[in-house]
Amino acid sequence: MSFHSVEKIGGTSMSNYAAVRDNIILKPTGDTLYQRIFVVSAYAGITDQLLEHKKTGKAGVFASFANGVNDDSWLDLLNELRTQVIEINSNLFDDPEMLADANRFIGDRLDEAEHCLSDLKKLCQHGHFALDVHLATVREMLASIGEAHSAWNTARLLQRDGVNACFVDLTGWKTTRHMSLDERIKVTFEDIDLESQLPIVTGYAHTQDGLMSSFDRGYSEMTFSRLTVITNAREAVIHKEFHLSSADPRIVGDDNAVPIGRTNYDVADQLANLGMEAIHPKAAKGLRQNNIPLRVKNTFEPEHAGTLITSDYISEKPRVEIIAGCRGVHAIELFDQDMAGNFSRYDTTILGCISRFKAHVVSKDINANTITHYLSTNLKTVKRICRALEEQFPDAEINNQEVAIVSAIGSDMQVPGLLAKTVGALAEKDISVLAMHQCMRQVDMQFVINQDRWEDAVRSLHRCLVEVHDHGRAICLAS
């Protein structure tokens, strides 16, 4: 029987070392500081600077390097990043010698990355070498720097504070041996004693196939998931800066939003689809298949049990558990009279185009001659997709509109009249429904609405569908 847990700490939490130490490390659920493995994210904002901004698409070092081999703007961004990480170190380390060690560690990695990019840039100025062939590797290398920085710092600070922590580097920096993620984890943890050591593990792991090529920015959750499964942990825990709540407290109010307490992996998948990840769906798959429970906790409320996610949970009574959604969704509507009876060709081509530009599909709807995809991406990507579709379907009418999606989600929503009640709650506030989706699995309903009514819609649905229930028992069940 395994006694240990594997726990992941998010980037915003990582940026507050005192809270991580006092609320997580020094407050274990058991009777020992050890028997825990911590997978850490980069400090808040660092991966955005290394790659590109996750929400706005603003270029970081990688995006700038990828967009122009004859442009040195990437080097300016790398120098800005260097200044930022040194400032982070200065705020963490009071001792001059420890600060020098920390700056030397991250400085060496940034120096080596700069040399690699400069050499690659020169190489690709020769006609026989194409930059595109190497970009996936460049992206992996740059991403690894953020987690190496935060993991090294945290392990060193914990050692200073009396914890026998050890820095576990899965990034494969300067490695000559390429292996799968599972093999790298097994090899690395062969000599680690969980009874007396507290591993602080990089969220990025180097693999022979490239972790980011499959999971992009969800790579740290895949590392977390596979580490949990391979070591046969009793529980997986994610520490965030907020509770997994019935709605965003900033919208519905602190007194109305409540931690969910219990739910299942189906609900977690729906949240991930809307960009409100409890955990990446592919990472959740391994936990679900191995019947490992996942607990989501608030770093800043350590006494609270958080929300427990399991495979088999179903609410005692069918009901809505969460009101969630997303703004800034782009609806790309393609109308073509020739589509009727020839739907599959259109659908395959459109999805291929969306995949080519790496846009995330939140939802879609169809009728005889129209397909609409609702995409979570930036306007620049949407314009590229529309241009590509115009080339593929010159006779089609293609429209793009920015909308919002609000969704009612629950582990069991098979309540007669629930759809009518939900639509009625929106109608009460004069909110027009542009499109609506509900599947037979009965775990969510999605409503496409105008952007400017999104917060009104969240408040109305939460009041009508969630606040009418007693949540005391659900919270208690998480303990």
Side-chain angles (χ1 to χ4, degrees):
M1 178 180 177
S2 296
F3 296 98
H4 73 279
S5 61
V6 177
E7 310 190 21
K8 181 179 180 295
I9 307 177
T12 302
S13 296
M14 285 298 298
S15 297
N16 189 333
Y17 169 71
V20 167
R21 179 194 60 200
D22 297 340
N23 297 348
I24 300 175
I25 305 297
L26 300 182
K27 282 198 175 181
T29 54
D31 57 359
T32 175
L33 288 177
Y34 303 101
Q35 291 291 354
R36 293 180 293 166
I37 300 170
F38 286 95
V39 177
V40 300
S41 297
Y43 295 118
I46 294 299
T47 304
D48 287 340
Q49 290 179 257
L50 283 162
L51 303 178
E52 67 282 315
H53 197 283
K54 191 174 183 179
K55 293 184 178 179
T56 67
K58 180 183 177 182
V61 177
F62 168 77
S64 180
F65 182 82
N67 289 336
V69 110
N70 297 313
D71 182 354
D72 283 336
S73 59
W74 66 269
L75 187 54
D76 294 332
L77 292 173
L78 187 65
N79 288 329
E80 289 178 17
L81 174 66
R82 190 187 299 272
T83 300
Q84 175 69 12
V85 297
I86 289 175
E87 182 179 347
I88 290 172
N89 288 355
S90 297
N91 291 330
L92 289 171
F93 295 95
D94 296 326
D95 180 84
E97 187 175 339
M98 290 179 66
L99 175 60
D101 287 343
N103 287 342
R104 189 178 305 112
F105 174 83
I106 189 61
D108 286 348
R109 299 233 170 174
L110 291 174
D111 288 344
E112 290 164 12
E114 180 181 337
H115 294 153
C116 285
L117 295 184
S118 296
D119 290 345
L120 181 59
K121 177 182 175 182
K122 292 176 184 176
L123 183 66
C124 291
Q125 289 173 345
H126 192 285
H128 286 78
F129 298 91
L131 179 63
D132 289 350
V133 176
H134 304 284
L135 285 180
T137 303
V138 170
R139 188 172 176 80
E140 299 262 345
M141 176 189 69
L142 289 172
S144 74
I145 295 172
E147 277 80 16
H149 178 219
S150 61
W152 190 95
N153 281 0
T154 303
R156 188 68 186 88
L157 288 165
L158 289 173
Q159 291 166 8
R160 178 199 68 184
D161 294 338
V163 178
N164 188 26
C166 58
F167 170 53
V168 179
D169 189 359
L170 297 180
T171 67
W173 197 259
K174 291 185 175 180
T175 187
T176 57
R177 183 181 176 189
H178 301 284
M179 59 187 79
S180 68
L181 174 58
D182 288 7
E183 186 181 2
R184 184 169 296 281
I185 289 171
K186 291 174 183 176
V187 168
T188 303
F189 275 81
E190 279 178 347
D191 299 322
I192 293 178
D193 181 4
L194 296 181
E195 291 188 4
S196 60
Q197 290 178 290
L198 192 75
I200 308 297
V201 186
T202 57
Y204 173 84
H206 176 67
T207 69
Q208 59 189 8
D209 297 322
L211 205 57
M212 297 192 73
S213 62
S214 300
F215 309 107
D216 199 43
R217 297 285 284 269
Y219 59 82
S220 64
E221 292 181 1
M222 280 309 302
T223 302
F224 163 71
S225 173
R226 292 312 301 162
L227 185 50
T228 304
V229 171
I230 290 168
T231 62
N232 191 29
R234 60 175 176 79
E235 186 177 68
V237 183
I238 293 180
H239 299 274
K240 293 179 174 287
E241 69 276 13
F242 50 78
H243 281 296
L244 193 58
S245 299
S246 58
D248 188 338
R250 294 169 297 182
I251 297 175
V252 302
D254 289 329
D255 293 336
N256 296 321
V258 294
I260 300 166
R262 286 294 307 270
T263 193
N264 62 30
Y265 283 112
D266 247 5
V267 168
D269 286 348
Q270 308 314 314
L271 290 173
N273 185 53
L274 294 169
M276 302 176 63
E277 292 188 11
I279 186 170
H280 192 286
K282 291 183 179 178
K285 180 180 178 181
L287 301 179
R288 185 199 293 241
Q289 289 179 336
N290 288 274
N291 292 317
I292 298 174
L294 169 67
R295 190 179 298 273
V296 180
K297 297 196 66 176
N298 185 335
T299 300
F300 304 99
E301 290 189 31
E303 305 299 338
H304 197 290
T307 294
L308 188 65
I309 302 173
T310 57
S311 302
D312 57 356
Y313 175 79
I314 297 177
S315 57
E316 287 186 345
K317 293 182 179 179
R319 68 180 192 180
V320 174
E321 298 171 9
I322 308 169
I323 304 299
C326 46
R327 286 178 285 191
V329 175
H330 291 271
I332 298 180
E333 179 188 76
L334 188 147
F335 164 83
D336 196 330
Q337 193 67 49
D338 294 333
M339 188 184 301
N342 194 23
F343 170 78
S344 60
R345 183 177 76 85
Y346 283 81
D347 192 43
T348 301
T349 303
I350 295 171
L351 286 173
C353 185
I354 292 171
S355 177
R356 172 185 161 197
F357 291 102
K358 296 181 171 59
H360 171 64
V361 179
V362 178
S363 191
K364 67 185 286 187
D365 55 46
I366 62 172
N367 63 21
N369 54 22
T370 307
I371 303 178
T372 306
H373 287 84
Y374 301 91
L375 307 181
S376 176
T377 188
N378 56 67
L379 182 58
K380 181 179 180 181
T381 300
V382 169
K383 289 180 177 178
R384 288 176 173 174
I385 292 171
C386 288
R387 284 195 296 267
L389 291 176
E390 287 168 357
E391 293 175 3
Q392 292 288 330
F393 305 104
D395 297 327
E397 179 182 321
I398 301 172
N399 298 306
N400 167 43
Q401 179 181 353
E402 196 168 8
V403 298
I405 292 178
V406 61
S407 182
I409 305 171
S411 55
D412 180 5
M413 301 203 313
Q414 298 188 56
V415 181
L418 181 60
L419 178 58
K421 186 177 181 180
T422 305
V423 174
L426 295 173
E428 282 180 12
K429 299 296 181 181
D430 295 321
I431 299 171
S432 298
V433 177
L434 306 178
M436 182 184 70
H437 311 99
Q438 182 180 28
C439 68
M440 293 177 65
R441 198 169 178 84
Q442 299 287 307
V443 293
D444 79 320
M445 294 184 292
Q446 293 183 353
F447 299 89
V448 180
I449 59 174
N450 291 316
Q451 279 243 85
D452 59 353
R453 302 305 309 276
W454 186 73
E455 289 193 4
D456 291 335
V458 171
R459 280 190 287 266
S460 180
L461 293 186
H462 193 268
R463 176 187 56 78
C464 179
L465 304 176
V466 178
E467 292 172 32
V468 294
H469 299 295
D470 177 14
H471 297 273
R473 177 168 168 75
I475 296 171
C476 183
L477 281 169
S479 321

